[in-house]
Amino acid sequence: AKGEFVFFNKQGKIAIDLKRVDEKINHASSFQHGVAIVAILSDDYSIPAVYGAINTKGELIVPLQYTYASIDK
């Protein structure tokens, strides 16, 4: 359905539902080194984006409060 952001496991089942992490999350990167960047982006860019990160358990490990985020080794 429109507006759902999920990660699937190897069996094709939903492993992480980002709406359970934070219902406002509407963007996510793929996982690298066990971490994915997640973000809240406004539709019209009138509100600055905020970024954070989750682990492979779907836990928010970096709060959604940063204006930029990247994954480094």
Side-chain angles (χ1 to χ4, degrees), residues 17-37:
D17 181 347
L18 293 178
K19 296 300 177 192
R20 290 182 178 220
V21 178
D22 186 305
E23 65 182 27
K24 295 176 277 185
I25 292 174
N26 59 6
H27 180 77
S29 71
S30 56
F31 279 93
Q32 296 177 17
H33 311 291
V35 176
I37 301 296

Side-chain angles (χ1 to χ4, degrees), residues 3-54:
E4 291 185 20
F5 293 87
V6 298
F7 286 96
F8 294 96
N9 63 20
K10 292 178 182 178
Q11 292 75 35
K13 298 188 188 227
I14 294 174
I16 299 171
D17 181 347
L18 293 178
K19 296 300 177 192
R20 290 182 178 220
V21 178
D22 186 305
E23 65 182 27
K24 295 176 277 185
I25 292 174
N26 59 6
H27 180 77
S29 71
S30 56
F31 279 93
Q32 296 177 17
H33 311 291
V35 176
I37 301 296
V38 294
I40 301 170
L41 308 174
S42 69
D43 290 334
D44 62 2
Y45 301 101
S46 62
I47 301 169
V50 290
Y51 297 87
I54 61 170

